[in-house]
Amino acid sequence: RAALAANAADVEALRASTFEGEPVEDILTDAIHVLGENIQLPRATTVNAGGIASYIHGGGKIGVLVTFDVEGIDPASEGFQAYGRDVAMQVAAASPVSANRESVPAEVVEHEMGIYKAQAAESGKPEAIQEKMATGRMEKFYKENCLTEQAFVKNPDQSINQYTDECAKNLGGTIKVTGFVRWALGETA
C-alpha cells in the first residue's frame, strides 16, 4: 500500500516515502524487530498502460502484471480480463526474458550470440554457414524467451502473438503486449 500511495518507481523511492505519516524505512525496521526476521525490499516498480492484467500463482509465491496497448476494447471487460489473465499465467509459467524481441536487453543478445557463434565455430563449417547457424539458434532463443513468440501454454500450437490476435479480433479491437513484471517470493533482484 505504501508503494502504491507513493507511486514508487524503484526501491529508493519507496524507502524515502511515508505511509500514514510514518517513514517506510521505520515501518520496515519495526517489522524486523517484531517478527525477528530480516526483511528486505529488493524491488519496486510502477506500471502504467491502457490495459493491465494480473495473476498470482502458488498462494502468492509468484505475482505477475502484464501491460497492454488496447484500442477499441474495454480493458475492464470480461473477455479482455480472461485474455489478460491467460497471458499473465504464461509469464508465471514460462518466465520469459522480455515481452518481445525488441525489448531483450542488448547485453543478453550479445551474450547469447557470442555463445552461438562459438558453438558454430567448433563445427568447422565455412564462416557463412557458421553465421547462419548462430542466427538460427538466436531465432530459437527468441521463440523460447520472448513472451509474444512463446508457444501458448494452454495451446502449444499457437504463439502468444497468435492468441493475442485471435482475442483482439473476437473482442473487436487491437491488443499489443507491451511489457510485464514478474515477481517471485524470495528473489533478491
Side-chain angles (χ1 to χ4, degrees):
R1 291 185 295 164
L4 185 59
N7 197 22
D10 56 30
V11 173
E12 291 77 27
L14 177 56
R15 284 183 178 276
S17 67
T18 60
F19 182 68
E20 296 180 353
E22 189 175 358
V24 169
E25 192 67 43
D26 291 350
I27 295 170
L28 185 60
T29 302
D30 290 345
I32 291 169
H33 291 296
V34 169
L35 298 173
E37 295 290 334
N38 185 10
I39 301 170
Q40 299 294 317
L41 297 174
R43 295 182 359 177
T45 191
T46 303
V47 295
N48 294 301
I52 297 174
S54 65
Y55 176 70
I56 296 175
H57 180 75
K61 293 188 182 199
I62 297 173
V64 175
L65 292 174
V66 182
T67 58
F68 306 90
D69 278 341
V70 182
E71 288 185 28
I73 300 169
D74 178 9
S77 71
E78 189 175 316
F80 179 81
Q81 287 299 308
Y83 155 77
R85 180 176 165 77
D86 283 345
V87 175
M89 196 180 309
Q90 173 84 20
V91 173
S95 192
V97 170
S98 69
N100 53 47
R101 66 175 58 200
E102 294 79 24
S103 62
V104 175
E107 61 273 5
V108 172
V109 172
E110 186 178 310
H111 174 74
E112 292 297 322
M113 194 57 139
I115 291 170
Y116 302 145
K117 284 182 178 181
Q119 290 172 342
E122 292 174 5
S123 72
K125 298 191 188 238
E127 218 171 287
I129 300 294
Q130 291 178 23
E131 186 66 31
K132 286 183 182 181
M133 289 171 65
T135 301
R137 288 186 179 137
M138 196 68 207
E139 284 297 315
K140 183 179 178 192
F141 171 84
Y142 287 133
K143 285 186 183 221
E144 292 173 353
N145 293 286
C146 295
L147 172 61
T148 56
E149 296 185 36
Q150 287 180 329
F152 181 33
V153 292
K154 286 187 167 183
N155 178 3
D157 295 333
Q158 191 177 44
S159 72
I160 292 296
N161 263 339
Q162 291 167 329
Y163 178 60
T164 297
D165 292 344
E166 177 184 298
C167 289
K169 182 179 177 185
N170 291 341
L171 295 171
T174 61
I175 304 170
K176 180 182 177 193
V177 178
T178 57
F180 65 85
V181 178
R182 183 181 188 276
W183 300 65
L185 186 64
E187 68 187 358
T188 58

